[in-house]
């Protein structure tokens, strides 16, 4: 059963404490994402005398972050060889139809903050229970091609969760090998794009994952995650292909 938005409370969420994360890759990611979250957010909204625990500080930071138009959940399995949760949007959707995405969607007034938006949408799209998520923190805002601000929320989930795609929104659930994303090169991808009355071919980086092409907003979110967690800097460009001979 899906949880109604009003039943999702930030106080019920758990934070993954890096000290208790067994696997080095995930521990490093947690340390860096949480440091970035606290450094970016708490400096301007919390006094130096604040004595809350590390988890409380992180939750307060996430709670007080300005609300974005939409939020996505960057969900990574908590295991020796972690995987990143990805979905393929249904072909009949009005926006981003047939594209790869992280679970997530638009903010609802009843949500209250970006974390609840991301977890509510994840639950609606894949039946991912909010109480099975351990928060790591957040990444910088990304802007969608429609101009919406999108806040990525990073979290750990158990590897044995049974997820079910909501057919009205999601055509399939699949997984990216996380450590491969950290190291493997991107592949240039050509996208046909309509510009006013003309068509153009846009070239952009991408990853090939389980037969799907990961690019666009999702690609930029992953690139931001890798830069924050592992200092991997990717030139994420959009370039019009020159068709002149």
């Amino acid at each position: 059963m899906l949880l109604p938005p009003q039943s999702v409370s930030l106080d019920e969420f758990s934070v993954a404490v890096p000290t208790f994360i067994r696997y080095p890759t995930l521990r490093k990611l947690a340390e860096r994402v949480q440091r970035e979250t606290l450094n970016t957010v708490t400096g301007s909204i919390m006094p130096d005398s604040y004595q809350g625990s590390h988890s409380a500080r992180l939750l307060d930071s996430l709670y007080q972050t300005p609300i974005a138009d939409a939020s996505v959940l960057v969900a990574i399995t908590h295991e020796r060889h972690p995987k990143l949760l990805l979905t393929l949007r249904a072909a009949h959707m009005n926006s981003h139809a047939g594209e790869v995405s992280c679970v997530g969607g638009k903010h609802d007034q009843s949500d209250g903050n970006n974390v609840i938006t991301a977890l509510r949408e994840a639950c609606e799209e894949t039946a991912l229970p909010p109480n099975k998520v351990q928060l790591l923190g957040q990444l910088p805002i990304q802007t969608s091609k429609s101009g919406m601000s999108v806040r990525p929320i990073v979290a750990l989930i158990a590897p044995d969760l049974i997820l079910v795609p909501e057919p009205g929104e999601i055509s399939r659930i699949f997984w990216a090998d996380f450590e491969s994303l950290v190291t493997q090169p991107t592949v240039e991808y050509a996208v046909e794009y309509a510009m006013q009355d003309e068509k153009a071919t846009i070239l952009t980086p991408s990853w090939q994952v389980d037969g799907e092409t990961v690019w666009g907003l999702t690609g930029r979110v992953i690139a931001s995650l890798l830069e924050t967690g592992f200092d991997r800097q990717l030139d994420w460009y959009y370039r019009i292909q020159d068709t002149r001979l």
Side-chain angles (χ1 to χ4, degrees), residues 21-225:
I21 296 177
R22 180 178 179 183
Y23 308 110
T25 297
L26 295 178
R27 188 185 313 121
K28 179 178 180 179
L29 177 68
E31 290 171 348
R32 293 198 170 193
V33 169
Q34 291 183 5
R35 185 185 309 129
E36 180 72 15
T37 300
L38 291 169
N39 288 346
T40 301
V41 180
T42 61
S44 60
I45 62 177
M46 287 186 185
D48 292 338
S49 59
Y50 182 81
Q51 296 299 313
S53 69
H54 177 79
S55 295
R57 288 174 63 90
L58 193 77
L59 288 175
D60 283 341
S61 299
L62 293 170
Y63 182 80
Q64 297 183 52
T65 298
I67 294 174
D69 297 324
S71 294
V72 296
L73 187 68
V74 185
I76 304 162
T77 57
H78 192 176
E79 58 183 328
R80 183 178 300 279
H81 300 292
K83 299 183 289 292
L84 173 67
L85 172 62
L86 294 170
T87 65
L88 187 67
R89 290 177 62 82
H92 63 262
M93 297 294 289
N94 292 329
S95 63
H96 305 284
E99 294 181 8
V100 173
S101 66
C102 296
V103 288
K106 292 182 180 179
H107 174 77
D108 187 278
Q109 283 191 339
S110 63
D111 290 339
N113 58 72
N114 299 311
V115 175
I116 291 179
T117 299
L119 295 188
R120 174 182 57 77
E121 287 283 343
C123 184
E124 292 175 359
E125 292 178 357
T126 67
L128 173 61
N131 63 358
K132 298 296 184 181
V133 173
Q134 286 190 299
L135 298 171
L136 294 186
Q138 64 186 13
L139 298 173
I141 285 279
Q142 298 289 339
T143 303
S144 72
K145 60 186 177 184
S146 63
M148 292 177 55
S149 60
V150 180
R151 174 66 72 178
I153 303 297
V154 188
L156 298 180
I157 61 175
D160 56 355
L161 290 177
I162 298 175
L163 303 182
V164 181
E166 158 46 46
E169 298 185 60
I170 302 299
S171 63
R172 68 176 294 221
I173 294 170
F174 64 107
W175 303 87
D177 179 81
F178 186 71
E179 291 172 322
S180 293
L181 291 176
V182 175
T183 59
Q184 76 179 51
T186 57
V187 178
E188 194 165 68
Y189 179 56
V191 187
E192 296 300 320
Y193 195 78
M195 302 176 65
Q196 297 180 345
D197 294 331
E198 298 182 359
K199 290 185 177 180
T201 300
I202 305 295
L203 301 178
T204 185
S206 71
W207 282 281
Q208 298 298 312
V209 178
D210 197 18
E212 307 291 351
T213 301
V214 183
W215 66 288
L217 177 67
T218 305
R220 284 187 280 121
V221 168
I222 294 173
S224 176
L225 178 70

Side-chain angles (χ1 to χ4, degrees), residues 2-15:
L2 299 184
L3 297 176
Q6 61 268 27
S7 71
V8 182
S9 168
L10 192 73
D11 296 335
E12 300 171 1
F13 300 157
S14 64
V15 172

